[in-house]
């Protein structure tokens, strides 16, 4: 199975948290590996670097789809 990664972001109430405003969600995309997801994440985060209320994250979809798999595999 590929190790899929989701990159998304949006406006947050608290920059230290993950409470996203539903109206501002920006789905950057789903990527086949961490390296390409990180590249997309850096690009999206860099575009909003001056806005402290904008945050982008990488979600490891493969861990959600098969949580019992060994993460080191």
């Amino acid at each position: 199975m590929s190790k899929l990664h989701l990159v998304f972001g949006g406006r947050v109430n608290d920059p230290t948290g993950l409470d996203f405003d539903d109206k501002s969600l920006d789905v950057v995309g789903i990527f086949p590996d961490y390296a390409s997801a990180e590249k997309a994440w850096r690009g999206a985060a860099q575009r909003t670097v001056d806005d402290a209320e904008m945050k982008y994250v990488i979600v490891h979809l493969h861990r959600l789809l098969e949580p019992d798999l060994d993460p080191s595999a």
Side-chain angles (χ1 to χ4, degrees):
M1 180 175 113
S2 14
K3 295 192 173 186
L4 298 174
H5 296 79
L6 165 68
V7 178
F8 79 96
R11 192 161 302 284
V12 290
N13 297 324
D14 175 8
T16 63
L18 294 172
D19 185 18
F20 288 94
D21 175 12
D22 297 344
K23 296 177 184 116
S24 71
L25 286 180
D26 174 24
V27 177
V28 178
I30 297 176
F31 301 89
D33 55 56
Y34 185 80
S36 57
E38 183 180 25
K39 185 176 179 181
W41 168 79
R42 285 187 188 281
Q46 194 65 27
R47 282 192 306 275
T48 60
V49 72
D50 292 330
D51 187 348
E53 293 179 345
M54 289 295 286
K55 182 177 209 167
Y56 283 86
V57 295
I58 300 174
V59 178
H60 300 269
L61 291 179
H62 60 278
R63 291 184 186 165
L64 295 174
L65 295 171
E66 296 192 77
D68 295 333
L69 286 181
D70 181 5
S72 63

